[in-house]
């Protein structure tokens, strides 16, 4: 068989086979033998990874793939949905010449006329079809094989960018196509949280988005901060009076935006293929600045009449082409497998690579996530591997080419002792990571101090990795409480530390004493206590001593605090070392309480808003202002709605709000409520 049959690279084919074997094996253990060896989350991650591979290389999907099978709640299944119009794929162009050839084909087909284009970023996510009837969201489906997808309505309904109700007069039946994606910041935060919790990581934002949508519990999808850009009207029947059907893709995008969908504001019009080429060039340079991952651009013939004339093959439309940026993927050799130790003692294997160019940078290290990841892929020192960069800070090893493995290399063995302090490294059941058990391990201390000083924690300016290393090796600090005893004289005596920097650092440390309890709790680095849980606990208890005294049950009774967080907090504060640390921090004068929420910051706290019609500012901006003041924005009017904000050409939400007696605000009243003057926008 050809090495890359149907465009599927060999590594992907092998990995898919391997994943199917693993999923098979673990389902059997789970269902038949009732003796699972991995956690549900790890199992879900295998299925999600396979799903990701299958959506990236549709030729890999088999009808009996475990991603499509009933799995008793573990591997979710969804009802099939037949798309009213096939969701086609795109032809690719990888260079300028291919783009120009596409333009020549298009113009020849149309009889030599001039053709205008729309150029849109190609978002690397999950393609979905969203159906609206009478302006209401009735069905959402994945692309599947293009003809039939999976019904993921309940999950898609949790995404804020998928409006429950359209904002404005809409066709009686409307089916649109869009891309669900996870913004890079959410992706990184999600993986950070998962790493902290010992869960397997998502390989890239696309897998994370796909895994988040293909969930049996919509609450999981809801927790995942997904977004969705809509870019195509697949079907529209019954246009409302006074709203003509769009004649161009550009008009279609404007209409979609008016109806309340998120439409990418990077989309551009191009009058000719020269402009398309220019946009592709300009865009590539800015690619890394975007908040989401883009794998290329799509050029589309603007006129919908011309699109219809051009038609499609069974695979792809003749009126569009994807301009793909070079794959951010490279092959190189593993020189060594190192193990680093994190704040909670988690050991993380890392591949040291023969340096290779990848997406504009030289890569010499790649993440291997955890020991299971290494074991599952059987990565060994000396192996040729494929590394990809998918928006993460460090690239990752995604596959091994075992056929090129040198003879006699043994499988990699995770260390049984901490590589930094030599203490025992143990793996607790149900966790993906092995941990160093020594709380005073220098590597853990270093990471704890760095976490303490980080922006969302105590925010100590100027206390980065290099400084912390200097402080540790000079023996000036052994834990975070020591920071508060540092003097300008001590710091000034360090090599490469100017008097002024010493003063600045001491001042920055002083300022951090005033951080509220929520920050302090987060900074302590208690497992499972992220920023959100820290804020919840701080608000609920008000003072650290009340948290210290709280029982596990009292903690678990706090809304949004589950048994896992409660257990972790209780055992953290039950340790004598924690007591000593908290007492020393108190002596150092750190603030131990949470100020009552400032009313100005929460002006709209607890209030629920719905927006309809067109406002003079973009809807996303209006929503952001409401959220900034503590309010919530939802897509449809219900009894729980406090305010309906009405712009010009409001939709059916207005009538519904009147029916339910919801307070209705016009734009001026809305601005007044936000505490904004009339002229804010003009200035
Ligand atoms: S147009 C018939 N526009 O790219 C129209 N696709 O390789 C075909 N994609 O499966 C799609 N952003 O998931 C189009 N602005 C965009 C897109 C986009 C992302 C994805 C889509 C499709 C894949 C094709």
């Amino acid at each position: 068989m050809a090495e890359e049959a149907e465009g599927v690279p060999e590594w992907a084919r092998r990995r898919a086979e391997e994943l199917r074997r693993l999923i098979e094996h673990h389902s059997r253990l789970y269902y038949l033998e009732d003796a699972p060896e991995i956690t549900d989350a790890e199992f879900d991650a295998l299925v999600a990874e396979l799903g990701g591979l299958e959506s990236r290389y549709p030729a890999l999907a088999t009808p009996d793939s475990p991603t499509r099978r009933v799995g008793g709640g573990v591997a979710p299944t969804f009802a099939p949905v037949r798309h009213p119009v096939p969701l086609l794929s795109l032809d690719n162009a990888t260079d300028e010449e291919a783009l120009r050839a596409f333009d020549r084909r298009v113009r020849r087909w149309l009889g030599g006329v001039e053709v205008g284009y729309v150029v849109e970023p190609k978002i690397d996510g999950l393609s979905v079809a969203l159906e609206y009837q009478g302006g209401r969201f009735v069905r959402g489906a994945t692309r599947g094989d293009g003809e039939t997808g999976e019904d993921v309505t309940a999950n898609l309904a949790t995404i804020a960018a998928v409006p429950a109700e359209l904002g404005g007069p809409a066709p009686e039946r409307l089916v649109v196509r869009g891309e669900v994606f996870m913004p890079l910041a959410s992706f990184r935060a999600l993986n950070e949280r998962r790493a902290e919790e010992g869960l397997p990581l998502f390989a890239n934002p696309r897998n994370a988005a796909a895994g988040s949508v293909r969930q049996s519990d919509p609450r999981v999808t809801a927790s995942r901060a997904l977004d969705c850009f809509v870019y195509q009207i697949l079907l529209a029947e019954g246009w409302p009076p006074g709203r003509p059907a769009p004649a161009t893709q550009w008009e279609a995008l404007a209409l979609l935006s008016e109806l309340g969908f998120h439409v990418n504001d990077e989309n551009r019009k191009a009058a000719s293929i020269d402009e398309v080429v220019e946009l592709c060039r300009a865009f590539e340079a800015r690619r890394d600045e975007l908040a989401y991952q883009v794998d290329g651009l799509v050029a589309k013939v603007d006129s919908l009449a011309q699109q219809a004339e051009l038609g499609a093959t069974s695979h792809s439309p003749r009126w569009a082409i994807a301009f793909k940026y070079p794959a951010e993927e490279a092959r190189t050799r593993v020189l060594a497998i190192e193990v680093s130790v994190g704040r909670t003692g988690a050991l993380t294997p890392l591949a040291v690579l023969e340096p290779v160019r990848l997406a504009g940078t030289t890569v010499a290290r790649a993440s291997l996530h955890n020991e299971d990841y290494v074991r599952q892929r059987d990565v060994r020192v000396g192996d040729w591997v494929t590394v990809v960069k998918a928006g993460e800070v460090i690239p990752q090893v995604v596959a091994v080419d075992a056929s090129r493995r040198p003879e006699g290399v043994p499988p990699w063995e995770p260390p049984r002792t901490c590589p930094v302090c030599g203490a025992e490294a143990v793996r607790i059941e149900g966790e993906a990571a092995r941990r160093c058990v020594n709380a005073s391990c220098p590597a853990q201390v270093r990471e704890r101090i760095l976490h303490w000083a980080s922006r969302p924690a105590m925010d100590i300016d100027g206390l980065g990795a290099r400084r912390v290393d200097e402080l540790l090796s000079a023996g000036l600090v052994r834990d975070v409480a020591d920071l508060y005893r540092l003097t300008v004289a001590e710091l000034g005596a360090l090599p490469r530390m100017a008097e002024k920097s010493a003063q600045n650092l001491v001042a920055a440390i002083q300022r951090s004493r005033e951080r509220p309890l929520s920050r302090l709790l987060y900074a302590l680095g208690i497992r499972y206590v992220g920023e959100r849980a820290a804020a919840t606990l701080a608000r609920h208890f008000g003072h650290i001593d009340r948290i210290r005294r709280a029982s596990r049950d009292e903690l678990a009774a706090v809304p949004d605090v589950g048994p896992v967080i409660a257990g972790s907090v209780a055992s953290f504060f039950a340790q004598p070392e924690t007591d000593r640390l908290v007492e020393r921090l108190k002596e150092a004068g750190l603030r131990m309480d949470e100020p009552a929420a400032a009313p100005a910051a929460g002006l709209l706290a607890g209030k629920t808003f719905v927006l309809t019609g067109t406002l003079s500012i973009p809807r996303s901006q209006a929503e952001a202002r409401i959220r900034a003041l503590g309010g919530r924005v939802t897509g449809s009017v219900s009894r729980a709605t406090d305010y309906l904000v009405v712009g010009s050409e409001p939709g059916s939400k207005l009538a519904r709000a009147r029916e339910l007696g919801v307070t209705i605000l016009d734009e001026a009243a809305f601005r007044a409520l936000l505490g904004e003057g009339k002229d804010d926008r003009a200035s």
Side-chain angles (χ1 to χ4, degrees):
M1 195 200 288
E3 262 277 294
E4 305 224 333
E6 302 175 82
V8 182
E10 189 53 28
W11 67 260
R13 188 179 297 283
R14 278 224 201 114
R15 179 66 185 148
E17 274 168 23
E18 186 182 9
L19 285 166
R20 288 201 185 108
R21 258 201 325 273
L22 284 165
I23 292 168
E24 227 39 87
H25 170 72
H26 290 295
S27 320
R28 215 192 50 242
L29 288 177
Y30 185 95
Y31 291 112
L32 302 178
E33 299 174 22
D34 201 17
E37 283 174 355
I38 58 175
T39 64
D40 287 0
E42 283 169 328
F43 184 86
D44 288 348
L46 294 176
V47 178
E49 191 190 339
L50 180 59
L53 278 176
E54 289 175 349
S55 67
R56 183 156 168 201
Y57 303 110
L60 283 179
T62 56
D64 65 341
S65 171
T67 56
R68 305 189 176 202
R69 259 190 338 230
V70 192
V74 179
T77 47
F78 304 95
V81 181
R82 182 126 187 119
H83 299 302
V85 185
L87 268 61
L88 296 178
S89 187
L90 287 173
D91 271 342
N92 290 327
T94 43
D95 57 18
E96 183 184 326
E97 182 34 42
L99 275 177
R100 293 189 183 279
F102 161 73
D103 174 62
R104 284 194 297 274
R105 277 198 306 279
V106 164
R107 282 185 295 133
R108 198 174 328 119
W109 191 285
L110 294 174
V113 297
E114 284 309 299
V115 176
Y117 294 98
V118 170
V119 177
E120 303 170 7
K122 186 167 176 311
I123 310 294
D124 205 6
L126 177 75
S127 197
V128 294
L130 310 172
E131 176 159 353
Y132 288 79
Q133 282 173 19
R136 291 180 154 273
F137 178 53
V138 295
R139 189 159 32 254
T142 62
R143 174 169 182 268
D145 62 5
E147 302 278 341
T148 307
E150 294 167 308
D151 189 332
V152 285
T153 310
N155 294 341
L156 293 178
T158 69
I159 302 175
V162 175
E165 231 174 286
L166 297 177
E172 196 31 51
R173 179 169 183 222
L174 177 72
V175 186
V176 300
R177 178 169 178 182
E179 197 82 358
V180 172
F181 63 97
M182 186 177 288
L184 287 170
S186 322
F187 169 70
R188 293 196 184 111
L190 173 64
N191 262 356
E192 241 165 66
R193 256 193 336 267
R194 292 176 69 89
E196 241 342 278
E197 295 172 14
L199 297 173
L201 305 186
F202 286 110
N204 53 49
R206 173 224 273 277
N207 283 4
S212 303
V213 169
R214 300 185 75 270
Q215 285 286 338
S216 48
D217 182 352
R219 282 173 303 181
V220 178
T221 314
S223 73
R224 290 287 171 78
L226 297 167
D227 201 341
C228 176
F229 282 141
V230 166
Y231 52 75
Q232 198 187 3
I233 296 178
L234 288 168
L235 182 105
E237 290 166 359
W239 288 89
R243 169 148 269 172
T248 62
Q249 167 68 2
W250 192 250
E251 285 173 18
L253 291 171
L255 170 67
L256 290 167
S257 163
E258 252 177 69
L259 291 178
F261 294 105
H262 284 188
V263 172
N264 197 339
D265 55 13
E266 297 288 340
N267 296 339
R268 297 284 181 273
K269 247 171 119 143
S272 65
I273 196 67
D274 287 333
E275 285 188 30
V276 172
V277 168
E278 190 40 52
L279 283 168
C280 289
R281 260 194 221 124
F283 196 77
E284 183 161 16
R286 292 189 41 236
R287 196 180 164 198
D288 294 337
E289 295 166 17
L290 299 176
Y292 42 84
Q293 198 175 344
V294 164
D295 59 349
L297 290 171
V298 187
K300 301 177 180 176
V301 169
D302 191 22
S303 154
L304 298 183
Q306 288 180 340
Q307 285 191 6
E309 211 178 322
L310 286 155
T313 67
S314 63
H315 164 80
S316 52
R318 291 193 194 85
W319 43 263
I321 193 147
F323 180 73
K324 285 270 193 89
Y325 292 122
E328 297 192 276
E329 188 175 290
R331 250 150 282 249
T332 185
R333 274 181 51 222
V334 176
L335 301 178
I337 296 178
E338 278 180 358
V339 173
S340 69
V341 184
R343 168 162 60 85
T344 56
L347 305 193
T348 305
L350 195 83
V352 181
L353 305 170
E354 197 159 281
V356 62
R357 291 293 288 177
L358 177 58
T361 55
T362 301
V363 169
R365 270 154 202 282
S367 171
L368 289 165
H369 303 310
N370 56 49
E371 58 185 67
D372 288 347
Y373 192 90
V374 183
R375 192 170 301 126
Q376 284 158 7
R377 283 165 185 71
D378 191 16
V379 185
R380 305 187 190 186
V381 174
D383 274 347
W384 281 88
V385 292
T386 304
V387 285
V388 299
K389 208 163 158 184
E392 306 83 352
V393 186
I394 15 183
Q396 354 191 357
V397 170
V398 292
V400 174
D401 182 354
S403 68
R404 293 176 76 181
R405 172 172 294 158
E407 298 248 327
V409 181
W412 180 73
E413 279 297 325
R416 298 292 189 260
T417 56
C418 171
V420 175
C421 72
E424 199 190 347
V426 296
R427 184 161 172 185
I428 296 168
E429 228 190 280
E431 292 191 356
R434 185 175 294 275
R435 287 172 202 277
C436 161
V437 297
N438 171 17
S440 15
C441 167
Q444 291 188 45
V445 171
R446 173 183 193 265
E447 297 306 317
R448 279 204 295 269
I449 298 177
L450 281 170
H451 173 71
W452 181 269
S454 68
R455 186 75 64 79
M458 302 301 268
D459 192 12
I460 305 178
D461 223 14
L463 192 56
R466 222 190 55 208
R467 280 272 178 271
V468 170
D469 288 340
E470 286 167 0
L471 294 175
L472 287 169
S473 54
L476 288 176
V477 296
R478 277 177 319 277
D479 63 21
V480 295
D482 289 339
L483 292 171
Y484 296 90
R485 293 197 322 222
L486 288 171
T487 63
V488 175
E490 277 171 337
L491 288 173
L494 287 175
R496 294 186 305 281
M497 173 79 96
E499 163 98 16
K500 185 73 196 148
S501 323
Q503 278 167 0
N504 287 345
L505 184 52
V506 169
I509 294 172
Q510 297 311 327
R511 280 197 301 277
S512 77
R513 285 197 166 104
E514 284 310 307
R515 307 280 177 251
L517 176 61
S518 48
R519 301 275 211 116
L520 176 75
L521 271 184
Y522 173 68
L524 284 170
I526 307 165
R527 287 193 70 198
Y528 306 120
V529 179
E531 285 174 75
R532 186 131 40 115
T536 306
L537 289 167
R539 241 182 286 122
H540 186 89
F541 289 98
H543 193 280
I544 200 163
D545 288 342
R546 284 199 279 278
I547 301 180
R548 290 164 89 187
R549 283 196 302 266
S551 69
R552 200 173 285 243
D553 289 345
E554 284 165 334
L555 289 161
V558 178
D560 291 332
V561 174
V564 176
I565 296 177
S568 173
V569 172
S571 57
F572 179 81
F573 283 107
Q575 292 164 29
E577 303 90 82
T578 304
D579 267 337
R580 281 196 292 276
L581 179 66
V582 172
E583 288 309 321
R584 286 174 58 219
L585 291 170
K586 274 187 181 175
E587 278 160 30
L590 271 75
R591 163 166 208 165
M592 296 283 152
D593 65 353
E594 186 74 4
L603 196 61
L604 305 181
K607 298 291 179 211
T608 300
F609 287 76
V610 175
L611 309 180
T612 183
T614 310
L615 299 171
S616 66
I617 53 171
R619 189 175 280 211
S620 57
Q621 216 169 313
E623 291 180 0
R625 292 195 195 174
I626 293 169
R627 294 205 184 93
L629 292 173
R632 252 167 43 95
V633 183
T634 62
S636 56
V637 175
S638 71
R639 278 179 215 289
T641 309
D642 293 294
Y643 298 105
L644 179 74
V645 180
V646 181
S648 59
E649 295 187 53
S652 57
K653 291 175 193 172
L654 182 54
R656 176 93 181 123
R658 289 206 176 109
E659 222 175 276
L660 294 176
V662 169
T663 308
I664 294 165
L665 303 174
D666 63 11
E667 189 161 347
F670 173 55
R671 285 174 177 279
L673 184 69
L674 296 186
E676 292 175 11
K678 271 206 189 81
D679 299 322
D680 274 8
R681 207 169 60 93
S683 61

